[in-house]
Amino acid sequence: MLLNGKFLVTNRVHSRLLSIHQSINNQVMRKLSLVFVAAMLLFTGNIFANNSDKDNPLKKLSVQIGELLENTSFTSDYVDLTAQVRFTLNKQGEIVVLSVDTDHEKIEFFVKARLNYQKIEIENFKEGEMYTIPIRIAGA
């Protein structure tokens, strides 16, 4: 009977240890699955964030305007000056400059001459929507 008593005690301890082991396994698996889900969310979030820059129509518009304003013949007196250009797009996809906010008349005329009625490539634009972009005259 003593042997049976030891066996019963050992069986109960073994049963309890097995129960604790299963509980720990369940907790670890839950935590691992949460870590896996969090990692997947971060990964997909980074992918979408990177693609949105490439497909951002305002970014494309800004790049095209920068290209239209390249190759200036300003002297060093006009380097590092800034302006705010307010414009809209007509139904043909052409830029219509509404205003150039700057203290230098020469920059205002330059921007208007280079941008007014220049056709740009942009998808899904709204005719008449107003845009404002900052520009800076950079040195050569």
Side-chain angles (χ1 to χ4, degrees):
M1 187 133 193
L2 188 57
L3 187 58
N4 271 347
K6 284 185 178 180
F7 179 72
L8 285 177
V9 170
T10 306
N11 201 12
R12 285 184 194 149
V13 170
H14 178 68
S15 174
R16 180 68 183 142
L17 287 175
L18 185 60
S19 172
I20 292 171
H21 179 72
Q22 287 174 342
S23 174
I24 290 172
N25 274 348
N26 287 341
Q27 290 174 357
V28 168
M29 290 304 291
R30 271 190 240 125
K31 287 181 182 178
L32 281 176
S33 63
L34 285 175
V35 167
F36 179 72
V37 168
M40 290 301 294
L41 286 174
L42 288 173
F43 179 73
T44 55
N46 284 338
I47 288 174
F48 288 126
N50 288 339
N51 286 342
S52 67
D53 253 357
K54 294 176 187 172
D55 297 332
N56 185 349
L58 295 179
K59 177 77 173 166
K60 289 180 180 180
L61 181 61
S62 180
V63 168
Q64 290 180 53
I65 288 173
E67 290 171 357
L68 290 170
L69 295 174
E70 282 181 342
N71 302 323
T72 65
S73 59
F74 287 117
T75 63
S76 61
D77 297 338
Y78 291 95
V79 173
D80 289 332
L81 296 178
T82 61
Q84 292 288 323
V85 181
R86 188 170 170 208
F87 64 96
T88 187
L89 300 173
N90 64 17
K91 62 183 172 184
Q92 289 83 22
E94 298 170 336
I95 298 171
V96 178
V97 177
L98 302 172
S99 67
V100 180
D101 185 19
T102 182
D103 294 332
H104 301 281
E105 195 172 284
K106 188 173 181 181
I107 292 176
E108 179 181 354
F109 289 133
F110 169 78
V111 169
K112 285 181 179 179
R114 287 280 181 105
L115 295 183
N116 251 337
Y117 299 102
Q118 293 295 316
K119 182 138 175 84
I120 50 100
E121 299 297 324
I122 186 170
E123 297 174 5
N124 303 323
F125 69 89
K126 294 180 185 172
E127 178 187 358
E129 186 172 343
M130 286 187 260
Y131 302 93
T132 303
I133 62 163
I135 61 165
R136 182 177 62 88
I137 306 297

